[in-house]
Amino acid sequence: MGASKISTSAFARSTVLAKLVTKEQRVQLVRAVDFLMARNGVATAAQFAGEMGELPRRAGGLVAKLSELLNLDGYPVLTLDPAAGQVRLDVGKLM
């Protein structure tokens, strides 16, 4: 999903999300979630970083940062599998 497109996903419209994070964090989270949902919850770390405007070598840090916001109550919603080089979104835990 390009930066110029406006997300209409339920996640983007979440009032709970709006209360928990800043506007900038919300934009970044929605972009990440929409990107991964469009790919059945999985993308290479390089693809994910590129979509998010980061260098591939920064994918791990980006996932860590976003995970702090998404992985509430200890449930791993957004993860990086370094062995497979993949970023994964557990959509079931997101809802």
Side-chain angles (χ1 to χ4, degrees), residues 17-58:
L17 179 65
K19 293 177 185 178
L20 294 175
V21 299
T22 67
K23 184 178 181 181
E24 181 180 305
Q25 290 170 324
R26 183 178 180 171
V27 167
Q28 197 170 32
L29 284 170
V30 168
R31 186 174 182 179
V33 167
D34 285 351
F35 176 75
L36 290 167
M37 287 183 75
R39 285 151 185 79
N40 296 317
V42 181
T44 68
Q47 289 171 330
F48 182 75
E51 174 64 21
M52 299 302 293
E54 295 286 345
L55 297 173
R57 68 175 184 260
R58 294 189 178 188

Side-chain angles (χ1 to χ4, degrees), residues 1 13 19 30 46 53 56 59 66 69 76 79 81 85 92:
M1 172 173 228
R13 296 188 312 267
K19 293 177 185 178
V30 168
L66 296 176
L69 301 171
T79 57
D81 179 346

Side-chain angles (χ1 to χ4, degrees), residues 4-5 8 12 20 32 48 56 75 79 91:
S4 62
K5 293 183 181 178
T8 58
L20 294 175
F48 182 75
Y75 294 105
T79 57
V91 179

